[in-house]
Amino acid sequence: MLLFVDNLTNVDFSFLDPQRGLLGETWLANVRLYGELDEQGMVCDFGTVKKVMRHWLDTELDHRLAVPIRSQQIRIDDEGDFLTIHWQFGSNGEFLHTRSPRDAIALVDAEVLTQESIAEWCISQLKQRFPMSVARLELDFSLEPITGAYYHYSHGLKKHRGNCQRIAHGHRSRIDIWANGKKSPKLEQRWADEWKDIYLATREDLIGKPQHQGTNYYHFAYEAEQGPFEITLPQRCCYLIDTETTVEFIAHHIAQKSRQENPDTFIRVKAYEGINKGAIAEA
C-alpha cells in the first residue's frame, strides 16, 4: 500500500551552488510511504507523518545554510559549537566564507546539492523514525509554480528571536507591483533581474571591504541571540539597504525606490517571503 502527502510543508533555506554561489530557496516537501497495513488498517497515521516530517524538516533544514560536505570546493573547520565554511564557486575563483553556530548549518552528505540529493539525505536521516509497518520512505521537493517574476535572496535578521537571525538562510519569492493601479510586469522583472541570487544585507552590519585577487568583497558580522555570525562574499552578490531586511522593509524599499525612478507614478508592492506570506507597501 502507498500513503502520500503532497505539499506537506515548505522549507525556506539557502544552499551552496557550484556556479551561482549562495542561493536562497523555498521548496515544498512531498512524501510517500510504502508498507503493510497495521491493526488500524493504515500504513502510518497521517498525524504521525505530519508530526515527524514537519518537525525534522523545520529543525534540520528550514532556515539553515545547506552545505555539500563531499564537495571538493568546500573546506569546513569544526570548532565544536561553531562551524567555519569556506566555499569556492564559479569560474573566476570567487569564494564565500562564513562562521556561525553549528545549528545554523545543514551538513548534507552529498557532492552537489540539488532537490534530489538533498531529498536523499533527508530520507537517510528520517527512515528510522517511522514504525516498522513503513517499508520504504520517499521524499521529493517541488517548486511553487510562479507565472510572473521572482527572485532568490538570502539574508539574516540579527534582531529576530527565532531562526531568521541566522545569517545565511533564504527564500524563493514572487514579486507583484502595480503602477497607477495597473500590474507592471516591467517593474517586477526589473527587481527580479537585480535580485537574482542576491544577498540582502543591512548596511550597519558591514564591517569590512576586503579585496582578493582583484575581486571586491563585503564582510558582514553581527551578534544575535543564538551567537555571533559572520559572512564574506563578493560585492556583486550583495545588495545593501539602510534597514533590517525583513519582508516589511523589503516591500517598503522596493516601493520607495520604484517611486524615485518613476516620480509621477503611484506604486504598490506586494513582496513575498517564500510562499503565501509577505508584506505590502505603497509609495
Side-chain angles (χ1 to χ4, degrees):
M1 293 295 294
L2 166 62
L3 186 74
F4 71 91
V5 184
D6 290 335
N7 299 341
L8 172 67
T9 189
N10 63 271
V11 288
D12 296 286
F13 70 110
S14 292
F15 71 90
L16 299 180
D17 181 89
Q19 296 301 320
R20 297 163 70 179
L22 180 65
L23 180 59
E25 267 293 6
T26 302
W27 290 351
L28 288 159
N30 311 291
V31 63
R32 294 171 298 280
L33 297 91
Y34 296 82
E36 300 294 332
L37 300 183
D38 63 14
E39 66 278 1
Q40 305 175 86
M42 302 177 178
V43 174
C44 186
D45 188 278
F46 278 120
T48 300
V49 176
K50 293 176 181 179
K51 181 179 179 180
V52 172
M53 293 290 296
R54 281 178 177 165
H55 176 74
W56 192 90
L57 289 169
D58 285 348
T59 303
E60 303 298 331
L61 184 59
D62 190 58
H63 285 77
R64 291 195 182 208
L65 170 62
V67 303
I69 63 173
R70 289 197 275 116
S71 172
Q72 297 298 309
Q73 299 174 219
I74 199 167
R75 187 181 75 243
I76 303 173
D77 296 328
D78 191 332
E79 305 170 37
D81 292 336
F82 294 86
L83 292 173
T84 296
I85 309 295
H86 187 87
W87 174 252
Q88 187 169 328
F89 64 94
S91 58
N92 298 321
E94 293 179 320
F95 69 86
L96 175 149
H97 180 90
T98 185
R99 182 179 185 272
S100 63
R102 177 182 289 272
D103 287 346
I105 306 296
L107 299 172
V108 181
D109 186 18
E111 185 175 356
V112 177
L113 297 187
T114 63
Q115 289 170 243
E116 293 75 22
S117 66
I118 293 179
E120 289 177 7
W121 171 71
C122 292
I123 292 169
S124 71
Q125 306 295 308
L126 279 162
K127 59 186 178 182
Q128 301 302 322
R129 298 171 182 263
F130 286 93
M132 294 295 292
S133 57
V134 176
R136 187 166 92 250
L137 170 67
E138 292 181 352
L139 170 70
D140 67 70
F141 293 107
S142 57
L143 300 177
E144 175 194 19
I146 301 175
T147 56
Y150 65 92
Y151 43 71
H152 300 262
Y153 73 91
S154 300
H155 68 153
L157 303 174
K158 62 180 178 292
K159 298 177 182 178
H160 193 263
R161 297 185 182 92
N163 292 335
C164 289
Q165 67 189 265
R166 294 167 177 174
I167 202 165
H169 74 277
H171 314 272
R172 176 181 181 264
S173 302
R174 60 181 290 185
I175 176 75
D176 294 325
I177 303 178
W178 291 262
N180 289 333
K182 294 183 179 180
K183 200 78 157 45
S184 178
K186 181 179 178 180
L187 281 175
E188 294 166 355
Q189 195 59 48
R190 172 256 190 273
W191 286 100
D193 291 340
E194 181 158 5
W195 283 8
K196 179 183 178 182
D197 303 348
I198 204 72
Y199 184 78
L200 296 181
T202 302
R203 200 175 300 275
E204 71 174 16
D205 298 332
L206 177 61
I207 65 170
K209 299 180 181 180
Q211 284 189 329
H212 182 75
Q213 295 182 352
T215 299
N216 295 320
Y217 289 79
Y218 282 143
H219 181 200
F220 303 99
Y222 56 73
E223 183 81 26
E225 187 178 83
Q226 293 181 3
F229 293 86
E230 61 181 86
I231 190 169
T232 301
L233 63 173
Q235 290 186 18
R236 68 169 185 83
C237 302
C238 303
Y239 187 100
L240 304 181
I241 65 175
D242 294 327
T243 62
E244 290 294 304
T245 57
T246 63
V247 71
E248 293 90 343
F249 279 128
I250 287 172
H252 175 78
H253 177 85
I254 292 175
Q256 293 293 324
K257 188 75 180 290
S258 298
R259 181 62 184 266
Q260 291 172 11
E261 296 171 354
N262 304 272
D264 297 325
T265 305
F266 176 73
I267 301 294
R268 186 173 189 264
V269 173
K270 188 175 185 180
Y272 288 77
E273 184 182 74
I275 300 174
N276 296 331
K277 64 185 190 297
I280 296 173
E282 299 175 338

